[in-house]
Every structure is written in C-alpha cells, then in structure tokens.
Amino acid sequence: MVNLTTFYNRNIYNTEGKFIGQVNEIVLNIKKGRISFFKTKAITEENRSAGLRDVIRNSMRIVPEEETMNQVTTEGIIDIPYELVSAVGDIILVDQNKLTQYQNAMKQKQMKRQPQSIPQPKINSQKQ
C-alpha cells in the first residue's frame, strides 16, 4: 500500500528525459480502487519548487468511473493517465509516445465537442 501524499510534488519526466512538471493533483477512481490521473502544471525546470500552499490548494479529487468522467480542461494543466506511467521511484517516468497519442486524441475529442458555427443569413435592410 502506498500513501498518496508521497506522489505530491514528485517530478515527472518523459522517456526522452524532458521535465514535464510536478504532481499537483491526484485523481482517484474509487470504484476500481486505483489512480486514474496525475495532474501537473506545465512549469519550467527552474521554477519547479512548489510551496505548502500549492499542495493544500491542489489536493486530490474523487471521481466516478473514468468512462463517464468529463474531462476537466484547465489551461496550463496536463492530465497524465496512470496507464502511461512507466515507472515510479524518486521521479515519475511517462512514456512520451503514448502521452503524445493521448494528447492528440484529447484535442480531436475537444474539436468534435465544439459546436459548429452556423452562418447567419444576411438580411438586406434597405430603407425606401
């Protein structure tokens, strides 16, 4: 058994050695009894220290089955599904190829959800 607080502020790197961010939030799937997502704020290597205020403000969420879960999209926040995690130790290692595929699929899904703009008919209002 692992205490979830050990994941907070843990650095996340991809398999290409690039720093992705730090764990800010953990999304749990209670029905399946496992972690669904790590959420991280996209930050640079030199700005990666986070204070206690950030940890308290960005605590964990509990969500229903991930199939019925609506994606929460926040600018600058990266969702990392736990299935993409290759290893957890002093750092969290994520498979970059799978992460790229996941992010592309999420972008396509968002584009399909956006309502198509319907062109408005032009009304010719000429005064006589």
Side-chain angles (χ1 to χ4, degrees):
M1 188 182 299
V2 177
N3 190 344
L4 291 176
T5 58
T6 60
F7 291 116
Y8 287 111
N9 294 329
R10 187 147 309 173
N11 294 331
I12 302 173
Y13 288 85
N14 65 19
T15 51
E16 297 172 356
K18 182 180 174 195
F19 179 72
I20 296 175
Q22 289 180 327
V23 175
N24 289 348
E25 186 176 352
I26 301 170
V27 180
L28 300 174
N29 185 326
I30 295 298
K31 289 185 180 179
K32 292 187 177 181
R34 62 184 179 95
I35 297 172
S36 289
F37 290 96
F38 287 130
K39 288 189 173 276
T40 182
K41 184 179 270 186
I43 57 177
T44 60
E45 182 77 29
E46 58 272 0
N47 295 331
R48 64 180 176 163
S49 63
L52 180 61
R53 184 183 322 167
D54 293 328
V55 173
I56 293 171
R57 186 177 343 132
N58 301 317
S59 61
M60 69 178 131
R61 292 188 299 144
I62 299 174
V63 297
E65 291 285 329
E66 53 190 66
E67 290 78 24
T68 62
M69 181 173 74
N70 293 332
Q71 291 293 324
V72 177
T73 55
T74 308
E75 191 170 323
I77 300 294
I78 301 170
D79 288 349
I80 300 174
Y82 194 71
E83 297 86 38
L84 305 184
V85 173
S86 299
V88 176
D90 293 338
I91 63 169
I92 296 173
L93 190 62
V94 177
D95 187 319
Q96 180 59 40
N97 293 331
K98 291 180 182 177
L99 181 60
T100 303
Q101 290 173 356
Y102 170 77
Q103 289 173 334
N104 290 338
M106 287 295 107
K107 285 179 187 176
Q108 289 177 354
K109 198 177 219 183
Q110 281 182 340
M111 290 175 66
K112 288 180 182 178
R113 286 185 187 170
Q114 292 177 352
Q116 298 293 329
S117 60
I118 301 171
Q120 299 293 325
K122 292 183 181 180
I123 300 175
N124 194 359
S125 59
Q126 296 177 348
K127 292 185 180 180
Q128 295 181 1

